[in-house]
Amino acid sequence: MRVVAQRVYKFEELSTEVQTKVVDKNRYTYVDSCDWWNYTCEDFMYTLLHEYAFNVDEDSVSFSLYDAEEGAGFTGTFDIIEYAIKIAKHFDTEDHISDDVLDEIRKYGEVRVALYAWNNTSPREWNTYIELRIDGIPMEEDEKYADFITALEEWRKEECQHLYKDAQDAYEYYTCDNYIRTELTEGNYEFLADGTDF
């Protein structure tokens, strides 16, 4: 029988060169092992509800980063039609939307971000659209409402871009050197001198 003594190190006790190697090895550990995107989705849903009275459909917030299908999207409904009108007026910078149209939408309208019927994948900016219903009837083909829908489409696209940027920022945060170093330093990790996990 023989007893072998082995030196083990905390992350901060490793050489600078080995620390860099360990950080690189753990680059995607924290994005692969936790639901980091939940915070981004929850923040997005909270913001739309409290700023625009827009109720995002459960599990509809989705995004894909850094690939051929990259993008972000969501579906849901304006709980208060006046918020949809306010947004449309904000994006209608040349006042194309008539007061008559707005009054009709106030009385009988429902506005939502919907997923195209032919699409069965996660919503992305290009898979969703503004759906206006008057007394339950879709109005996308009625030229009378085109300016209102166009203005809200600008809002929808802008929110998709915000969602993508927030998701991208979160992903980059959880994969950056500083975050990984902090996790490795504050966690209960031990290593051999060459950076191998102990």
Side-chain angles (χ1 to χ4, degrees):
M1 180 183 95
R2 67 193 182 106
V3 176
V4 177
Q6 181 75 59
R7 290 181 184 268
V8 294
Y9 302 84
K10 294 287 188 185
F11 175 75
E12 62 273 19
E13 296 173 330
L14 297 170
S15 69
T16 302
E17 180 182 346
V18 173
Q19 284 183 14
T20 300
K21 175 183 163 185
V22 172
V23 167
D24 287 341
K25 184 177 77 173
N26 287 279
R27 179 72 58 202
Y28 305 105
T29 297
Y30 304 103
V31 291
D32 291 339
S33 64
C34 71
D35 296 339
W36 61 273
W37 59 85
N38 278 343
Y39 301 114
T40 300
C41 294
E42 288 169 4
D43 287 349
F44 180 77
M45 293 171 70
Y46 180 89
T47 299
L48 262 61
L49 183 61
H50 289 85
E51 289 188 11
Y52 307 115
F54 185 90
N55 196 349
V56 177
D57 293 334
E58 189 174 347
D59 299 326
S60 77
V61 179
S62 67
F63 48 82
S64 181
L65 306 176
Y66 309 117
D67 61 24
E69 294 296 318
E70 72 174 14
F74 63 98
T75 62
T77 306
F78 282 97
D79 287 340
I80 302 171
I81 198 67
E82 198 60 45
Y83 279 77
I85 290 170
K86 182 178 177 183
I87 292 166
K89 288 173 75 174
H90 172 76
F91 282 93
D92 180 33
T93 55
E94 297 182 11
D95 294 325
H96 290 304
I97 306 171
S98 74
D99 289 339
D100 289 344
V101 165
L102 295 179
D103 287 342
E104 187 178 354
I105 292 169
R106 273 188 190 94
K107 289 178 185 175
Y108 310 111
E110 176 190 350
V111 180
R112 64 177 284 102
V113 175
L115 191 64
Y116 282 114
W118 50 260
N119 179 57
N120 60 3
T121 60
S122 297
R124 299 282 188 269
E125 177 183 332
W126 56 87
N127 291 334
T128 58
Y129 68 102
I130 293 293
E131 180 183 60
L132 169 64
R133 290 177 176 261
I134 300 293
D135 273 344
I137 301 170
M139 292 293 152
E140 286 78 36
E141 303 298 322
D142 192 327
E143 195 62 30
K144 175 181 174 182
Y145 304 99
D147 292 327
F148 178 81
I149 292 170
T150 298
L152 279 178
E153 281 290 348
E154 291 301 311
W155 170 80
R156 180 189 64 82
K157 291 174 185 175
E158 189 175 276
E159 292 306 319
C160 287
Q161 291 165 1
H162 288 161
L163 173 59
Y164 185 87
K165 180 70 167 62
D166 289 346
Q168 188 178 48
D169 289 348
Y171 185 86
E172 289 177 1
Y173 170 73
Y174 288 116
T175 58
C176 76
D177 284 5
N178 285 343
Y179 179 81
I180 296 165
R181 285 180 175 276
T182 300
E183 289 295 311
L184 293 171
T185 300
E186 294 179 357
N188 194 24
Y189 300 101
E190 292 181 319
F191 306 89
L192 302 182
D194 64 357
T196 303
D197 294 343
F198 177 72

